[in-house]
Amino acid sequence: MTPDAPVRVLVLEDEDSIRRLTVDLLTDEGFEVRAAPDGRQGLAILDEWRPDVIVLDLMMPVMDGRAFHAALRSAASGSRVPIVVLSGARQASVIGEELGAVATIVKPFDLDEFVAAVSDAARAGAA
């Protein structure tokens, strides 16, 4: 991330309405955003595009958040990308902590809190 470049955010969320909402919200805030409905498609995006922050849902089809996280951490290129967990899972905060997420946002969520968490994660990753 260079000082003039927008922060790149990868959103992994299987619910279409939430994925669209988060992408639109972050784009309106000046972030460069790509999105995928599951972890496998998220990994494919990482093959060609490096995000500064990953917003990660825990419960997704094909490859869930934990499996994506394990694959991400085993790849040298993704080992330091900060994660913001965005989930409705009952134990979202506990799982987020286990994964080393910089923040956990529980659904339903406050939009301002979400944007602040992504911004904080980008700053943490740049430090």
Side-chain angles (χ1 to χ4, degrees), residues 4-9 23-33:
D4 296 331
V7 172
R8 294 173 149 205
V9 181
V23 167
D24 290 347
L25 181 62
L26 293 172
T27 300
D28 289 348
E29 291 291 326
F31 295 93
E32 181 181 341
V33 186

Side-chain angles (χ1 to χ4, degrees), residues 29-111:
E29 291 291 326
F31 295 93
E32 181 181 341
V33 186
R34 297 210 181 157
D38 62 64
R40 185 178 297 156
Q41 289 184 41
L43 290 174
I45 290 171
L46 291 176
D47 285 342
E48 61 187 56
W49 191 75
R50 174 140 164 80
D52 300 305
V53 177
I54 296 173
V55 175
L56 180 63
D57 186 12
L58 297 174
M59 300 182 300
M60 298 179 289
V62 183
M63 177 184 272
D64 69 13
R66 285 183 185 211
F68 172 84
H69 182 268
L72 176 72
R73 294 304 184 226
S74 69
S77 64
S79 63
R80 300 197 192 281
V81 179
I83 304 281
V84 173
V85 168
L86 176 65
S87 182
R90 280 194 326 226
Q91 298 291 322
S93 295
V94 172
I95 297 167
E97 193 172 311
E98 290 171 1
L99 298 180
V102 297
T104 299
I105 306 295
V106 178
K107 297 174 190 173
F109 59 98
D110 178 83
L111 301 180

